[in-house]
Amino acid sequence: MSKHYETDSLPPTFQDLVDRELEPDENLYWVGRPVPTLLLLGPAFLFVLFAIPWTASAVFWMWSAASTGAPLFFTLFGTPFVLIGLVMFGSPFFMWRGVKNTVYAITDQRAMILTRSFFSTNAVSVWPDDLGKLQRKERAGGFGDVLFGESSFADHQTLGKLPANGFFNVPDMREVERLFKNLAAQVTKEEAQEPQAVEQRHDLPILHLLDSTPRDLPVSVRLYLRLCSTVMPFFGWFFAGFGLMFALVAIAVSKPEEIAGALIFVAVGSLFGIVGLCFPVYSWISGGKAVRLLREGFAIRARHLTTDSTGMTVNDKPVMKVVFEYQVEGESYTVSAQALDVSRLTDAKDKVVLYDPTLPGRAVVLDGLPRGIHLDELTGRFRVNPLRCVLPLMAATIVCGEIIAIVVLLLLLAI
């Protein structure tokens, strides 16, 4: 394996990590690790500030329940919240460990972000056409950040991990920026050599189909977009169901003469229920925009611009954001889609986009729709398996049943 840069400056475990990732014909130009300074770890301390009132409230809850002689269930109810608070208090340590277990590398073909965890290694490859706009943030002492794409450190949302949209707090940042520019120049050189003829791609018949066929969405597709396409409503139903169950149990175990004391527990449980219901309500509203786009949106061709990391991971796989550009009446707009596997979004330079004719900046990528939805190319109708809507409908039924039960029990106790 040929290399222009040696990994001897790294600890042995990281040397092996980089060497294993290199292809036989790949040359290593630069390698380094982020330095875990207070400035870099700063976002983790926001969790600590939030953990103080969070944990104090949970401890106060447990102390109040125990001192008033409430059933053991009410005392233990605060235990998971105390544990969550302790995890947030330890966030600077988790962040520091994540920084110490990260190594950056630049080769003649790509940039790499390698992170070692307890049980696995996460490797993110950034190819030349994924670099996008470069940003350099230089600090005293020769350290700084080199970011690619339109994102920043604010995109960091995973506790204990650096976002995968740049090299953070590294030495020789100017050299890193120069190597990034050289990688990006490869794409410009390749595009200049490509013929500029208009390509007839497989998505052109879909454009004609969408323009010529009325789009009346089935009820299953509307419910799926509003309640099933993200994990947000599932989290909300669980949170609401748990809170309302707590309120329901508080009423059920209380005697009529103890109704005043039980109302405190009912109020706390109902508060959790209301907060939880906000998630499916928000999902319903935002999903309605997708429904309108699929029903009334104009189909147009969009060009692939960039592929960036969002800084989030799911099962140690980075969530990527693919950005497309389209034009309406001479004005340029961009639309993005996120996915773990972006193969269906990047298999062609042009994709079909549906945009709102009244608000051209609002659009959705046809291939970026949730996995359950597909377009029937024979009928031009969007389809989804109705079984995908069963779980959220069951959750909504349970929560509605809990609300009715709480109202009935409160009326019976008041009589």
Side-chain angles (χ1 to χ4, degrees):
M1 164 188 323
S2 59
K3 291 183 289 187
H4 293 194
Y5 197 97
E6 298 298 329
T7 59
D8 297 341
S9 59
L10 297 175
T13 53
F14 288 102
Q15 293 181 30
D16 296 338
L17 186 63
V18 175
D19 290 339
R20 284 199 306 269
E21 290 294 327
L22 291 174
E23 299 293 337
D25 60 342
E26 194 170 12
N27 297 314
L28 183 64
Y29 284 166
W30 183 91
V31 66
R33 299 169 66 195
V35 179
T37 60
L38 182 61
L39 183 62
L40 188 64
L41 302 179
F45 287 95
L46 296 177
F47 285 98
V48 176
L49 294 177
F50 182 74
I52 295 174
W54 173 282
T55 310
S57 301
V59 171
F60 177 76
W61 165 271
M62 296 180 68
W63 175 81
S64 300
S67 60
T68 56
L72 183 62
F73 170 79
F74 295 105
T75 304
L76 298 179
F77 180 78
T79 303
F81 299 97
V82 173
L83 295 177
I84 293 172
L86 294 177
V87 171
M88 288 191 289
F89 274 116
S91 57
F93 168 75
F94 298 135
M95 186 69 179
W96 174 85
R97 189 183 180 281
V99 172
K100 294 291 288 185
N101 287 326
T102 299
V103 61
Y104 300 130
I106 303 176
T107 72
D108 58 342
Q109 300 177 20
R110 55 178 169 157
M112 292 187 292
I113 302 173
L114 309 176
T115 305
R116 205 162 47 91
S117 62
F118 287 107
F119 306 107
S120 62
T121 298
N122 186 39
V124 177
S125 293
V126 184
W127 302 98
D129 56 352
D130 296 333
L131 288 174
K133 180 181 177 181
L134 292 177
Q135 305 173 58
R136 185 184 78 243
K137 297 184 178 181
E138 191 169 352
R139 290 188 284 272
F143 294 91
D145 309 330
V146 182
L147 313 179
F148 35 81
E150 298 294 336
S151 44
S152 67
F153 192 82
D155 292 330
H156 168 57
Q157 299 182 29
T158 305
L159 185 63
K161 292 184 180 179
L162 287 171
N165 58 345
F167 287 11
F168 291 89
N169 213 42
V170 294
D172 306 326
M173 92 213 68
R174 290 182 177 272
E175 175 66 9
V176 171
E177 183 187 35
R178 184 185 68 82
L179 293 172
F180 277 161
K181 288 180 178 178
N182 290 343
L183 280 175
Q186 295 179 14
V187 179
T188 305
K189 188 181 299 183
E190 292 171 359
E191 289 179 347
Q193 295 173 353
E194 290 181 355
Q196 298 300 315
V198 176
E199 302 178 23
Q200 298 297 321
R201 297 192 178 273
H202 66 280
D203 58 7
L204 290 180
I206 298 179
L207 274 173
H208 175 72
L209 179 67
L210 291 171
D211 287 337
S212 60
T213 306
R215 283 174 261 152
D216 185 19
L217 299 184
V219 175
S220 58
V221 173
R222 300 184 194 183
L223 286 177
Y224 182 76
L225 287 172
R226 290 179 181 270
L227 293 177
C228 316
S229 58
T230 67
V231 298
M232 182 181 298
F234 288 97
F235 177 78
W237 291 126
F238 174 79
F239 206 68
F242 189 78
L244 292 175
M245 181 188 69
F246 179 82
L248 188 60
V249 172
I251 300 174
V253 300
S254 300
K255 299 177 182 179
E257 61 271 14
E258 299 173 346
I259 184 62
L263 286 178
I264 299 176
F265 296 102
V266 174
V268 173
S270 300
L271 179 62
F272 278 94
I274 293 171
V275 172
L277 287 174
C278 290
F279 289 92
V281 168
Y282 176 80
S283 177
W284 183 272
I285 295 173
S286 60
K289 298 177 182 178
V291 170
R292 286 191 293 273
L293 284 173
L294 292 191
R295 291 184 60 188
E296 306 167 6
F298 284 10
I300 196 172
R301 196 175 190 173
R303 180 174 62 91
H304 176 218
L305 280 184
T306 60
T307 303
D308 302 317
S309 173
T310 62
M312 298 184 294
T313 59
V314 177
N315 296 328
D316 287 333
K317 294 182 179 180
V319 179
M320 306 301 292
K321 179 177 71 172
V322 185
V323 182
F324 297 89
E325 182 183 46
Y326 60 99
Q327 290 191 345
V328 179
E329 297 181 353
E331 293 288 334
S332 295
Y333 301 92
T334 59
V335 60
S336 63
Q338 297 183 7
L340 288 174
D341 179 11
V342 295
S343 57
R344 63 173 179 163
L345 292 169
T346 58
D347 59 350
K349 289 186 177 179
D350 301 314
K351 288 292 180 182
V352 173
V353 165
L354 294 172
Y355 73 92
D356 188 338
T358 59
L359 292 172
R362 179 183 296 169
V364 63
V365 184
L366 192 61
D367 285 344
L369 293 174
R371 280 288 185 180
I373 296 181
H374 67 278
L375 177 65
D376 188 338
E377 297 188 13
L378 294 178
T379 62
R381 299 190 68 186
F382 291 96
R383 305 283 187 184
V384 69
N385 188 343
L387 293 178
R388 290 178 175 268
C389 304
V390 171
L391 285 179
L393 290 178
M394 288 178 59
T397 303
I398 293 172
V399 171
C400 291
E402 289 177 337
I403 294 174
I404 294 173
I406 290 173
V407 173
V408 170
L409 285 177
L410 287 175
L411 291 175
L412 291 176
L413 287 174
I415 292 176

